[in-house]
Amino acid sequence: MEWLRERRRVVVGSAALATTAAVGYALYRVYNRSVSKLGGFDEDAGEVGSKRTPKEEEKLTSDAEIEEVFQKLRQVAAKQGFSTWSPKLTTDLLGPELNKVEAITARLKGLGRDAAKGGAKVALWNELKAEAFAQCVAVVWGVSILNAFLSVQLMIVARISTLFETSSCSELMYHDVRMLLERELEKTVGRFLRVNLREICAIATESAREALEPIELSRITSLKDVLSTLACISSTTEFQISGKGWAHTLLSGTVEEEGGEQEGPEPREGERLLLEQFRLSLRKVLEGQDFEFAVSVSARCVSDILMAKCKHLLAMQLEQRGEANKTEQAVRSPEALPLAKFVPLVSTSSEQVVSECDLIIEHEVSKVPEVIRACADAFSIHVA
């Protein structure tokens, strides 16, 4: 697939469109309805070509328009929305605080001859082994969770901003509503990057150390073995991150979790009700199965892309060494290369995924059915 290289930033609320109070609920019905409903026959009647009343025809057109609105919102969330926050994500994941691989590699290169022959080199290599695998897992979950978390919030912001005129907050101007919700979104996403991302990295590092401790660097390993090890580390990391539910993980320590306390002047009544509506909607989305599935399948998608890059790097490495005839053996054989040979490949693949995360989200992850369903749930939840 040829990926577009253009990046643009837009205001989050620019996707909020002029629809009616029934938009969210109708959208979810459209999403779950079979495509045949839009094909010209009445699903309830069970007969192809059943005649419709004018009112039914108008409703069908409305549903089609709602679906179009939803698809446009998805595109904004996948492209402009994610790319607004991805630079910070990239900086953190590749920076020295969370990414220890570069520092350890520099220390290895700086070892003196005597130290290189002793235990110091082995100790650093074991540390590098764990950090490289942990980095890979942290990248997969960091990218996947941020996208899902941001996408559902953008959908909620778009819906509430659209419907504010019919709500109890109607004394607020549209601009006030949008800006208030965007500030709340910035707080929750900012906390994810500031707190949750670091928790993910710490958990992934600990899981990687436990999984890799009994595996010697000299052990002959296949790519399949590497994938299995990464899957084990990833599964352990996911369980520890989301064991109490995604709402607990992503909202603990926020204003919503702390009983509504916040800095700054006391919000007006309309603002308070608006924030309560946003926080309640977000919590319900995060507690739902749709969000859970979206995160898990997104992680699988990102992981598949990362492993494909690792496989490609392995093939290139063997070919450059004049061992092209051994490429298939290295990929499939139970005995291929020492584990140490895979460490730089895993690390490089992780860095490539981070650098291309905008394109991966826009052209791959955002099109996964489970991600679309989670967005539809967020756009529709509790709309009368």
Side-chain angles (χ1 to χ4, degrees), residues 17 33 37 132 134 148 153 156 178 230 276 293 320 340 378 382:
L17 304 176
R33 182 183 297 155
K37 183 72 174 179
Q153 290 188 79
I156 295 172
R178 194 192 68 194
L230 284 169
E276 287 180 358
F293 292 156
Q320 290 172 357
H382 300 315

Side-chain angles (χ1 to χ4, degrees), residues 217-223 225-226 314 317-318 321 323 326 329-330 333-342 345:
L217 288 160
S218 58
R219 177 176 173 177
I220 301 301
T221 308
S222 69
L223 182 58
D225 294 331
V226 172
L314 173 61
Q317 183 182 83
L318 294 175
R321 293 179 179 179
E323 299 176 4
K326 295 183 180 180
Q329 179 185 358
S333 173
E335 296 184 353
L337 294 171
L339 176 60
K341 298 290 185 181
F342 283 98
L345 300 181

